[in-house]
Amino acid sequence: EGRAIELIENREKSNIGKLKYEIILGETPENIKDTAFLKHIKEVGFIHTKIETDKFKSINKIFIEKYISDDYAFACAPVYRDILIFKKKGEIIGIAKICFSCQQNIIIGTKANTINFGHNGDYGKLRRILYH
């Protein structure tokens, strides 16, 4: 929580502070063409990590359209500390911002219904793939 307050307080102090706030707490990027933020991603504090190709199949099983009858919501404000950039033939085709703490996301670049992403333990599965 303290980190989020710091981001809010620093958003007006510099361009990087503003960008950091918009990426981590806000709606940046707003669409699949909005990739200018990637030029400054390291300055903002993100670490670029390439995901090994042997993990793609497991990740693809998580990022599928789901139909769930019972939905749930969290009352916390998401802090998007993880951003996945999906590429095909060198072109960005999707972006997923993930908050593992409160299990919320912003997924852009797909026509699929992503409202049910996270059900069936998706966040735990994705975290294990990325960090183990």
Side-chain angles (χ1 to χ4, degrees):
E1 180 184 327
R3 178 98 167 116
I5 292 170
E6 181 182 319
L7 290 170
I8 293 167
E9 290 173 350
N10 291 332
R11 72 179 174 214
E12 300 299 326
K13 293 182 179 177
S14 69
N15 287 338
I16 292 299
K18 181 179 180 184
L19 186 60
K20 185 183 265 191
Y21 168 82
E22 290 173 354
I23 293 171
I24 297 173
L25 296 178
E27 300 292 323
T28 297
E30 292 182 14
N31 61 61
I32 197 66
K33 302 285 186 204
D34 185 9
T35 59
F37 77 98
L38 291 173
K39 294 177 189 168
H40 304 285
I41 200 81
K42 288 183 183 178
E43 292 174 74
V44 171
F46 284 89
I47 298 169
H48 178 268
T49 305
K50 188 172 182 174
I51 299 171
E52 297 104 27
T53 55
D54 64 333
K55 294 182 177 183
F56 288 0
K57 189 174 183 179
S58 297
I59 290 172
N60 286 340
K61 288 180 183 178
I62 295 170
F63 283 91
I64 60 169
E65 194 166 12
K66 295 176 184 70
Y67 298 97
I68 308 291
S69 59
D70 294 329
D71 195 15
Y72 58 89
F74 289 90
C76 67
V79 177
Y80 300 108
R81 294 180 184 93
D82 294 273
I83 301 174
L84 300 175
I85 308 293
F86 297 92
K87 292 184 175 183
K88 186 174 187 176
K89 297 181 181 177
E91 183 179 330
I92 295 174
I93 60 167
I95 299 172
K97 292 177 30 171
I98 306 291
C99 177
F100 286 110
S101 297
C102 60
Q103 298 189 353
Q104 293 188 54
N105 66 79
I106 294 176
I107 299 173
I108 58 174
T110 181
K111 292 180 179 143
N113 179 354
T114 61
I115 193 77
N116 291 318
F117 178 86
H119 291 275
N120 301 325
D122 288 343
Y123 288 100
K125 292 173 192 174
L126 183 58
R127 179 179 227 129
R128 282 189 294 280
I129 291 167
L130 297 177
Y131 293 105
H132 293 106

